Amino acid sequence: MDDDDSLAPDVTDLGFFATTVDEATPEETLWGGNPLNDFVPSHLVPDKENGNGKLGGRTPIPSPVVSGGNGDGMDVEGDEEVGTEDQAGPPRKKVALDGGNSGLESRHQPKQSSRKQQRNLPDNIMKLAQNRWRDVEAKGVGKICKKLWDAVVDAEFDHAVVSVVELSEGLEKLLWPHLTASSSDECVLLTALLFLEKLRQDASSAWSSILRSGSEEREADAKRMENLCSRAFAIILDSIRNTLQKSEDQRSLLFALVLVPFITSLLAHLDVPEVRSQIVRVTGVGIWSHVTGTARSEALKEAAHVKKAWERWSKRVNEADPPTRTQLVADAAFLPTLISYSLQLATTHPHPSNTDHLLSHVLDLVVDVLSTVPTRRYAELVVRDSLLAEEFAAATLFTEKRPDKTKGISTLLPLMLRRLQETLQHPIDPLTGAFLEPAEARTRHAKVVAQIQREAFSNPSWKQAYESLAMPGAGKVSDVSYVTQIVRDLPDDLVLELCKLVGVRTQRFVIGGTGTNYGKEFLAKTVGARLASPKGMEEAVEHVGAWPDETSLFTPLTASTPTQTPAGLPTSLPLPLPKVSLQYLSHPDALLRHLHLARIETFAAIRTDMEDAVNRMAPTYNADKGRTTFAGWARMAVPLEDCRISEVGPSRVLGADRKGGPDVPSYVKADVSFTLHRVSDVVRREWDALTPRDVVFLVNCGPRVPEATDPLGRLGIRYIRSAEILDLLDAQGKPVEGWSRAGGTRAYEMETDAGVPDVMPADAPTAPKWRRDDENDNPRKVSGVNRTYRVLLDPIKFADDRIRHPTPVDDPTQTFHSTYNLIVRRKPAENNFKPLLETIRDLVLQGGAGVPRWLQDVYLGYGDVKEVGGFGVEDPIRVVEVAERLGEWKALQTWGEEKGWRIVPKVDNLKTSAQAQNGHELLSPPYVLSFPPSLFTGQRTSSNNPNHLPFTPAAIKAIPSIGELDERDWQEKGSKAKAKQKKERQGKSESSGSEVVVRRYKETNMGPFPEDKRRKNTLQFTPTQIDAILSGIRPGLTLIVGPPGTGKTDVAVQVISSLYHNFPSEQILLVTHSNQALNNLFEKIAQSDIDPRHLLRLGHGEEEIEVQGDWSKYGRVNAFLDKRLRLLAEVEKLKDSLGIPGDYHGTCETAGYFFLFHILTRWDPYWSKVKNVVQEVRRSKSGDEQNLVTKARTLVTETFPFITYFTTALQRPLFTAEMTLDEVVEVAAGCFRHIRRVFDELEEVRAFELLRTNYDRSNYLLVKEARIVAMTCTHAGLKRRELVRLGFKYDSVVMEEAAQVTEVESFIPMALQIPEDDGSSRLRRVVMIGDHHQLPPVVKDISLQRHTNMEQSLFTRFIRLGVPFIELDRQGRARSSITDLYRWRYNNLHDLDVAVLREEYKLANPGFVHEYQLVDVGPFQGKGETEPLPWFYQNLGEAEYVVAVYQYMRLLGYPVEKIAILTTYNGQKELIKDVLQQRCAWNPLFGKPSKVTTVDKYQGQQNDYILLSLVRTRSVGHLRDIRRLIVAMSRARLGLYIFCNKKLFQNCQDLAPTFSKLLERPTKLSVRSGERYGETKRALHSSASGDKTASVFEIQDVEHMGRYVYQMTTEVIAWAKKQKAEREAAEGGSVDVEMGTENGNEVDVDAKIES
């Protein structure tokens, strides 16, 4: 790497230093006068006249993803093209939660201010940064830090300046190595500031940059962390103290504004031991030394272990030396002192500058401390005793109405305070960590009330309070307003005694002094609040509904996210939102957090859609008509003609009176009418695609008021109400028959206060049933342009509207709901939010019911993680029958050696010891493994475990083989069989010590027909894969980390297959993140040996499964009905072969009678004789054995009752002369197994014969027949209520793509069934497969992603918690050299032999010198990256280069299906598509590649050759996230060519392990002439070639590549013309001109190329 490449005169040219997006001038953000147009081809400039947002009148401009969730402008789900031929107007923009319409601004808002002047560091500091701080000596670090801090402050903490230091490794090379206990304040501040920046960029790899792996180095780093935190604690308190004492240092509070967020960030990383030890210092029991003695004494009485902890701490302090004692006391004082100082700041007048910003961060810190049990245990008492929440609530800073000149802070502080109050109110015992059920919480509260009442009754001094406190019931004393008024009237001495009883201090909380007394009014309100009845989870979710309205969509919490760093301040404001953390307080706490976050993210997206639709409709007041009309047009909205309430249901039985509110009806139906005459046929079809349960939005619009301060006024929105589609009505107001209803009635699922479905009266609206197949193949089409839909409204909001907006008495027709004048819809893929939110809400109220006990503690982040992994659960399975080919004997031995076990072969009837020693030579896979009992010692075992299900080996069949005749009988099991099964259930095995006994798995003969044979798995698994498969079979939690190409899908299929065969009575739930991954997995399962009748695929996307058959519910029903006919036909053949008259093959029931009276009556006597004669042969000791064998053989073959049936069907003899006695008995037994299976399957199909509708049949199939049910996590969330109502059960969950699924979406599949009668869960095992080193779940809003950690998956959290996992270590996807680009990220990733020995991996890529290469793309036409729209990054030079290389590959013969073009930004993807359309799509020589998409969208997919464009030239962008880099590097199998700006990416230290490898090769594209795909066979890394004319040369730049491709194309065309002329001459006529297509029109290829 050339260091000179990183030198530049200032920040703007430093490339890797400049990480912020330059602010654009108004001229740059408008279409007119865009200076970028001079550098962008005309086909990329939007049409200025019609403003339709189309590229060159053809390619629509996609939505610029402002908050992609994973980086700046990244590709996310739901980001689709919105500017189309049917819709005019400016291109639609997705924005962050605030959308730029509130006081709380977002950094992701399109900037309209002039370009801000970049601030530079001093020249000497800049030079040091450019040289990576190499010239800094240890003694000079303090001076450098002082100058650097001053420069950062003078630049007002400009992000570009901070980035210069961070990206130049200022933390790793300058600050961290020299951090000591005596480091300057500036060194500490810069360390914290740069670490916050590193966490913001990539939290997954931030710690690895400073915490080294060596034991001595790690110890030194731990000491540095201790020094950093100790200094940070002291500086925070000193800076606030200086502010309170009005020190002359005006910047002192800035220190706390840096360090308090830093300490808060540490709380999210308690899995790091060095961090955890520092947090324990300031949240331990020592902080109780600063609470009142009464409060501490009462707390110590409640828990003996806490009292011992307090005594140990006190003893440690008393016995410590002075320096240690000082440190212990200082640590214990930090949190109480911070609270004390914060209370003083809140009550100081006038408020010091930036007080509100600091208090918001302090509240954020305190809430995070209270959000996990370990840190909350002792801190809660301090927070409650200090009356922090109560004092803040009374402070004017939190209550006064003031001009919002502080970027929304006046709105933020009350929201942060509410979050603190909600966290304190969570029902949990902090000392034990136990969640308080409602009954327990009420009991504890009742004890406090009873104590007060007894005191008022018995104490004479309480005479004045006798009537008011002792006489009323406990409910009255728990009323806040009542108690507050009583306390106001009590004398001061009684108020003090009452406060003592309640535990409320009477003096302000001051550390190191005595606080002033509180006033009576404050104490009255505080006592009243303390005596209030505890709130349950019902109250917590009461206002968290799933029906959005204008209030929930545009409140500050959902409409504003203060991600902007205020000018002159070092850190951005916190969000008043819960966080996805490492640990939770309880299951309701975890689910409630996810409910809030999911609701906010969903409502923010809905708000964006509402703004877009209303803006496009342009509501205007029409004076002539006297009402609001719409001057515009929108694809997703149309004016409403009429909206009227059609039916109001009776009041709910439960929750009818909501705390004195109006009666809430059980349901409300309305009819909404509109006309589609102004829309095109395409849009009309979209409106007609509305289906039952789709959500639409009814809007009351008035004229827009541009000068309004609130977003609703600017948009002209008065009210928004949600509605759910029920029916489509005809002109007579009747439901259109065949549109949605299937007839009949069904209980309507209505959201209730309890969160469970209500059973409604018979006249209630029934949820529509969709007819499928024969019931409704041809639904009735709707004609005309008038539409009337019957919809359901939110009954709670309807009840409120009736009170707030009563109907005028003089005009009953003018109801509130008749004022709606606009209806808005959303895209179907984005509009499934309501059932998902309702599912999470149900789980909150049910406390996560359905999750097994063995998983509950670990899910919350506590308990022994080893107890849930592999063997560490109750009743482990010790015998595993692997009915597949896991590997050869050598692979098993290797696996055993890695596990520390001895693999012992066991073969029956070995005659000699030599044979026993070499028993493995007689064994061939598949195997039966018996694990040693020693593996399970010390683990919990319980025969009364409700989750225990006896292990049933798959080899135990109804008909035993000849070797099993003396052990088992197919009708009744003998004593030996019962003893053996008891032995298996008790978990005993043949193994002892550390031995694993391996026996041959003997397959049972299931019949003579080919379909009776099991399909074999021919895959050879590695030892690590074997370990993963066996771990997945055992009960418990299994985590499997699968690096790219290591066979995650194959392992998942094998786990499912093994579970299917080993546990025939269990059901398996298979879930993935995407439909594509689910289909890929399902295809492999369907091609395995699993019976198709036990497979079911739910949800959309099953039509893309390439395996023959319909795998949906209704498709499976049809398959069962078809199979019924085939089976009955077999019964008829069997009946005819036996010569039995009668119509036994008419129904499944008659077939059952036929089996009972005609099959068993023939088989039982026959089999009894066979058993007797075989036993006689085995008991015989005379020399006449041969005669007995012949006699027995004759009996078996000649008396077999079904010989005619099988001989006729097979068209060959059933028994042959070469068969032994054992073989003919096995054949006879197999034949009967075949017959029995026919009738067993008919018995299973019988239910489908009795049930009359496909809806009932499909539900029966789901609940009773399907053993492997596959669905996406989204579908599980949408259908949970229905699945629970149907009684869906399952025993295992296998989750693929687990690292790409949000935590709540991972939790829902585990809770799709209700608990058993004893409260236990049937779920025995959870297998999660994923890769946390690749991209996390997509969070569409960058604010939620960064501030709430919403992108954390459950899979990643389990790994952070230390749950044991298995990491697959052999990859077979890519060349070994390509794998080296990302191998460093994994612990022990090697290559399979196939990746080295297969011919395609040995050969070079034709036409290329290297199999991978970084191609340096310089400025094209004087420009690098451009931004035609905010955050819509494009790079024309890279786009042209990529397309030119694609053309080059096509000219060499590379197939299009083997080439994929990837990029890191949506803007570049659209640009590449447009260039491809211009140059390639119309030309059959080129065509389009198999895929053009973003790296994020391509995760989980692969191709042989990848062309990758990295786009950025000013900053690295979101590729700094190492997870995105790993995905980008691991998509190619044979060839990877990366196009980027070398100077930019080579200087990014985070990417160094990959780019240093790439830069070992030339950065000019090296090509070879004279080679063609499929013909050239040149060895990889070989300079020789069979073609002597081949030459190697480098492509210099984009233009050079374009000229070269043009030359090649000309030669190909010339050759084609020559061939055409020769054919014309030979055929004596003309040959048709080769035609291509462009925009659907044919073009002359030759003419087009020549032009």
Side-chain angles (χ1 to χ4, degrees), residues 563-579:
T563 58
Q564 172 103 6
T565 301
L569 296 182
T571 53
S572 61
L573 300 173
L575 288 179
L577 302 175
K579 298 178 182 178

Side-chain angles (χ1 to χ4, degrees), residues 1528-1547:
M1529 297 297 112
S1530 60
R1531 298 306 96 196
R1533 292 181 62 248
L1534 303 176
L1536 174 64
Y1537 302 95
I1538 304 168
F1539 302 84
C1540 67
N1541 182 288
K1542 182 189 73 171
K1543 290 184 180 180
L1544 173 67
F1545 290 95
Q1546 74 177 358
N1547 289 301

Side-chain angles (χ1 to χ4, degrees), residues 1209-1483:
L1210 292 171
Q1211 297 295 311
R1212 63 173 174 80
L1214 184 62
F1215 304 102
T1216 62
E1218 293 78 13
M1219 290 182 179
T1220 63
L1221 175 60
D1222 288 355
E1223 290 173 345
V1224 296
V1225 172
E1226 190 65 23
V1227 169
C1231 289
F1232 183 72
R1233 292 190 186 101
H1234 174 85
I1235 294 175
R1236 186 182 184 96
R1237 192 172 72 251
V1238 169
F1239 289 96
D1240 287 345
E1241 292 182 8
L1242 275 172
E1243 185 62 28
E1244 293 177 358
V1245 177
R1246 185 180 177 186
F1248 297 89
E1249 186 178 76
L1250 299 175
L1251 297 171
R1252 306 314 302 170
T1253 67
N1254 274 359
Y1255 177 81
D1256 294 331
R1257 290 169 179 165
S1258 64
N1259 289 337
Y1260 178 85
L1261 170 69
L1262 170 65
V1263 176
K1264 298 295 185 181
E1265 290 298 330
R1267 288 189 52 206
I1268 300 176
V1269 179
M1271 66 182 75
T1272 62
C1273 293
T1274 301
H1275 187 83
L1278 299 179
K1279 297 296 182 181
R1280 181 184 180 272
R1281 282 187 172 183
E1282 182 178 350
L1283 293 173
V1284 170
R1285 180 180 60 83
L1286 292 173
F1288 177 56
K1289 298 289 184 181
Y1290 53 96
D1291 306 271
S1292 304
V1293 172
V1294 178
M1295 185 179 299
E1296 250 269 51
E1297 297 183 319
Q1300 293 179 254
V1301 183
T1302 60
E1303 187 167 318
V1304 69
E1305 289 178 328
S1306 299
F1307 181 85
I1308 290 173
M1310 304 178 197
L1312 296 181
Q1313 57 186 345
I1314 59 175
E1316 302 294 313
D1317 294 338
D1318 59 357
S1320 64
S1321 172
R1322 181 172 170 173
L1323 186 61
R1324 298 198 68 197
R1325 62 184 64 80
V1326 176
V1327 182
M1328 304 181 76
I1329 306 172
D1331 185 4
H1332 58 295
H1333 294 304
Q1334 297 189 51
L1335 283 171
V1338 172
V1339 179
K1340 295 183 179 181
D1341 188 270
I1342 193 70
S1343 304
L1344 290 178
Q1345 176 205 5
R1346 290 177 176 172
H1347 291 266
T1348 68
N1349 199 27
M1350 196 175 173
E1351 68 169 8
Q1352 178 179 259
S1353 66
L1354 182 60
F1355 181 85
T1356 301
R1357 188 164 71 88
F1358 278 155
I1359 289 180
R1360 291 181 62 195
L1361 288 169
V1363 175
F1365 63 89
I1366 299 170
E1367 182 169 325
L1368 306 181
D1369 58 359
R1370 295 288 188 276
Q1371 76 86 24
R1373 171 191 292 174
R1375 297 183 192 268
S1376 180
S1377 56
I1378 294 179
T1379 307
D1380 290 339
L1381 297 175
Y1382 55 88
R1383 198 190 305 273
W1384 58 271
R1385 189 60 173 168
Y1386 300 93
N1387 294 328
N1388 193 28
L1389 182 60
H1390 301 286
D1391 300 316
L1392 288 170
D1393 291 341
V1394 68
V1396 179
L1397 302 178
R1398 187 181 292 176
E1399 183 180 10
E1400 64 178 345
Y1401 293 111
K1402 294 181 179 180
L1403 298 179
N1405 298 333
F1408 294 94
V1409 175
H1410 305 288
E1411 73 280 17
Y1412 73 82
Q1413 192 174 6
L1414 183 148
V1415 181
D1416 184 21
V1417 182
F1420 181 66
Q1421 298 179 353
K1423 276 292 183 179
E1425 71 175 68
T1426 58
E1427 198 177 356
L1429 288 173
W1431 316 284
F1432 197 65
Y1433 297 108
Q1434 296 181 337
N1435 188 317
L1436 185 59
E1438 289 186 16
E1440 293 282 6
Y1441 212 147
V1442 166
V1443 173
V1445 173
Y1446 167 72
Q1447 291 176 302
Y1448 171 70
M1449 296 177 71
R1450 291 290 293 130
L1451 291 172
L1452 294 183
Y1454 284 84
V1456 291
E1457 63 271 12
K1458 293 184 178 294
I1459 307 173
I1461 298 178
L1462 303 183
T1463 181
T1464 49
Y1465 289 91
N1466 276 325
Q1468 185 74 349
K1469 176 189 70 175
E1470 296 302 325
L1471 179 58
I1472 292 174
K1473 284 184 176 180
D1474 202 84
V1475 176
L1476 282 168
Q1477 186 68 28
Q1478 286 272 340
R1479 306 195 187 282
C1480 302
W1482 53 270
N1483 193 336

Side-chain angles (χ1 to χ4, degrees), residues 917-933:
Q917 292 177 358
N918 299 309
H920 67 274
E921 297 178 358
L922 304 176
L923 289 177
S924 60
Y927 304 114
V928 178
L929 308 181
S930 299
F931 296 96

Side-chain angles (χ1 to χ4, degrees), residues 37 321 583 699 754 1095 1204:
N37 290 348
D321 56 84
Q583 298 170 310
V699 186
L1095 296 175
T1204 304

Side-chain angles (χ1 to χ4, degrees), residues 1478-1479 1482-1483 1485-1486 1605-1607 1609-1618 1620 1633-1634 1643-1651:
Q1478 286 272 340
R1479 306 195 187 282
W1482 53 270
N1483 193 336
L1485 279 178
F1486 305 122
V1605 169
Y1606 175 77
Q1607 178 183 349
T1609 306
T1610 304
E1611 293 173 357
V1612 171
I1613 294 298
W1615 177 86
K1617 288 182 176 181
K1618 179 180 179 182
K1620 183 173 68 171
V1633 177
E1634 186 176 10
V1643 296
D1644 183 340
V1645 173
D1646 294 346
K1648 185 73 175 179
I1649 292 178
E1650 291 176 354
S1651 65

Side-chain angles (χ1 to χ4, degrees), residues 135-146:
D135 302 330
V136 178
E137 298 180 359
K139 60 182 180 181
V141 171
K143 294 181 180 179
I144 295 295
C145 290
K146 180 67 169 65

